[in-house]
Amino acid sequence: MQDFMQLDRNLKLRSLTVFLTVLLGSSIGPNVTVYYVEYFGAFITGFLLIAVSVAGFIAGLYGGHLADVLGRKKTILIGSAMIIGGYALAMLMNSPWYTNPYITFVGFLTASVGASFADPAEQAMMIDSSTLKNRKFVFALIYWIINIGVMIGAAVGGWFFRDYLFELLMGSMIVGIINAAIIKWGMAETLDMTTVKTNSSVWSAIKSYGHVLTDKRYLLFMFGTIFSVVVYSQPDFYLAAHLAESFRDYTLFGIHFYGQRMLSFMLVINTVLIVLTMSAFNHMTNRWPLIRGYMIGTFLQGLGFAMAFLLRDFWPLAFTAVVFTVGEMINVPSSQTLRADMMNPEKLGAYSGAFAATRPLGNIVAGVMVSASHFVGNIGAAVMLMVGVLIAIYSVATAAKMKASF
């Protein structure tokens, strides 16, 4: 608590806005796919989800550039307005008197794009407001808050989405307004606007990212992070497929566990452990060099998933969930602090926007691994994952030793 009270005012309020944002996203986001399938069918839904991902990616890049020329706060507020407007539109299109799934998609798309647009500015503001001394604590705190938000938001969405969608969307819109009010009247701009040459054009954005692409150290770090994404995204990719096909059904306290339910249980273990023990792990590893925390955390996280690929029974799989969660808790604060330390302080928005590309690229590699597993089996998938772990560790460790080029 003492560490929290010593934080910059922006960071204290950021803790609250992160919780509210994640609460919104996790109560709506996971259920949107079910909504689309109900109205459009699985085939069309796939294209809709791709469109949302592509739009979000582009919005993140442009939002990252604007964070460096318009300011963090203004960019976040623009994104917040899009989120509020998107949820308001979706609410009106799912009222007790009228339903229109087509315009609802436009509303959800607008909200998703708004979140992606604001994210680089939010990341940049958090780096601006933190110091080298407290940055690791800040990232650990935010990560802990995110998990609490996901846990509560998923429960709220699962309870209300199907039967009370209008009320849920109304609540989401109100929470979005509260979030925007906190940002507008509570937070201070962290970018020195006197040093900024304002140019919000698309060509200016392209040139801004051109500078990022000349930073070999950061590019190598991003390359390693792509393979880190492959590791932590496994619950959405090969682990899900493996459990669906190979898990031996098990009954515990009258509850029947099959593949999909086992995956959910492993994720519950993950979230609960993070919420209950993140602070303790952060305290234990606080004095570790960042690269040591990244290497040990990434290795344990990858090892836990690789072990899960080879197992089919309840208790051994539950143990692997503990292993990859411990690795995650060690890895996340170190990797995010390393990323912040490698960014050019004058282009934090652009660097944050460029970093957003690592997730879709990592997901593509993870998808290829699922397809390749058809030929190499569980053992081959585990080996491929551990090779990815070694690539991630080597790339990030090498980048950490390189000198800054800015």
Side-chain angles (χ1 to χ4, degrees):
M1 180 59 71
Q2 182 179 358
D3 290 336
F4 177 79
M5 295 307 297
Q6 293 175 349
L7 294 178
D8 180 88
R9 176 184 172 86
N10 272 12
L11 292 175
K12 293 176 184 176
L13 292 175
R14 172 69 178 150
S15 301
L16 176 58
T17 59
V18 163
F19 174 75
L20 294 175
T21 300
V22 172
L23 188 69
L24 282 177
S26 56
S27 63
I28 301 294
N31 300 289
V32 165
T33 301
V34 177
Y35 180 94
Y36 291 159
V37 170
E38 179 182 348
Y39 285 102
F40 302 113
F43 180 74
I44 298 299
T45 295
F47 289 100
L48 295 179
L49 294 177
I50 291 172
V52 171
S53 297
V54 172
F57 173 63
I58 295 172
L61 290 177
Y62 192 53
H65 169 64
L66 292 185
D68 288 333
V69 297
L70 296 183
R72 324 301 194 203
K73 186 173 176 178
K74 188 173 182 178
T75 304
I76 296 172
L77 287 172
I78 294 172
S80 297
M82 295 172 69
I83 293 172
I84 296 167
Y87 283 137
L89 182 61
M91 177 192 71
L92 294 174
M93 294 301 106
N94 290 274
S95 70
W97 314 280
Y98 182 70
T99 300
N100 189 318
Y102 300 96
I103 302 180
T104 297
F105 168 72
V106 175
F108 284 144
L109 174 64
T110 302
S112 178
V113 167
S116 298
F117 180 86
D119 183 64
E122 292 169 342
Q123 297 292 328
M125 177 179 279
M126 192 160 61
I127 295 170
D128 290 335
S129 302
S130 62
T131 65
L132 292 175
K133 184 178 180 180
N134 67 15
R135 192 164 288 157
K136 189 176 180 183
F137 167 77
V138 169
F139 283 122
L141 173 67
I142 295 298
Y143 188 67
W144 179 74
I145 290 171
I146 286 172
N147 276 272
I148 293 178
V150 168
M151 185 168 60
I152 297 174
V156 170
W159 190 267
F160 290 103
F161 192 92
R162 191 186 71 174
D163 299 322
Y164 302 97
L165 181 56
F166 176 74
E167 291 81 2
L168 179 62
L169 290 170
M170 179 184 294
S172 298
M173 182 187 69
I174 293 171
V175 171
I177 293 172
I178 294 172
N179 205 25
I182 294 172
I183 296 166
K184 173 68 175 178
W185 288 291
M187 291 186 173
E189 177 59 65
T190 58
L191 180 65
D192 183 2
M193 299 302 295
T194 61
T195 63
V196 174
K197 296 179 179 179
T198 303
N199 190 340
S200 58
S201 68
V202 174
W203 175 242
S204 176
I206 293 173
K207 290 195 295 182
S208 179
Y209 284 107
H211 289 301
V212 177
L213 295 177
T214 62
D215 189 338
K216 295 180 180 179
R217 182 177 70 150
Y218 195 69
L219 287 181
L220 184 59
F221 177 79
M222 288 175 59
F223 176 75
T225 300
I226 290 172
F227 290 91
S228 293
V229 173
V230 174
V231 174
Y232 71 67
S233 65
Q234 284 309 307
D236 296 326
F237 289 90
Y238 186 71
L239 179 61
H242 167 65
L243 292 178
E245 293 178 353
S246 305
F247 179 70
R248 293 190 180 101
D249 288 14
Y250 184 80
T251 301
L252 180 68
F253 301 127
I255 301 174
H256 177 63
F257 286 87
Y258 47 89
Q260 186 179 16
R261 189 168 283 177
M262 185 63 206
L263 177 63
S264 297
F265 183 66
M266 292 173 76
L267 295 179
V268 168
I269 292 174
N270 173 262
T271 303
V272 170
L273 280 177
I274 290 173
V275 171
L276 295 180
T277 66
M278 184 73 198
S279 178
F281 271 95
N282 187 55
H283 180 73
M284 286 188 295
T285 62
N286 192 45
R287 297 185 182 276
W288 286 13
L290 293 176
I291 193 60
R292 181 199 297 177
Y294 176 83
M295 293 171 68
I296 293 175
T298 301
F299 182 81
L300 285 176
Q301 194 176 15
L303 180 65
F305 282 119
M307 291 166 56
F309 294 172
L310 306 176
L311 299 170
R312 301 173 58 190
D313 296 303
F314 181 87
W315 289 111
L317 283 165
F319 173 74
T320 65
V322 175
V323 174
F324 69 66
T325 300
V326 170
E328 183 179 351
M329 288 189 289
I330 296 173
N331 165 50
V332 168
S334 298
S335 63
Q336 293 186 344
T337 306
L338 276 170
R339 171 168 62 93
D341 292 349
M342 290 189 182
M343 292 180 176
N344 183 338
E346 297 180 0
K347 296 184 180 295
L348 290 179
Y351 272 69
S352 297
F355 187 80
T358 59
R359 182 160 192 131
L361 292 174
N363 286 343
I364 291 172
V365 177
V368 170
M369 198 178 89
V370 174
S371 299
S373 69
H374 176 75
F375 303 100
V376 300
N378 294 338
I379 295 176
V383 171
M384 285 192 295
L385 185 67
M386 292 309 296
V387 169
V389 166
L390 295 178
I391 293 174
I393 290 174
Y394 176 78
S395 300
V396 172
T398 301
K401 294 177 182 178
M402 295 171 63
K403 293 183 178 180
S405 58
F406 49 81

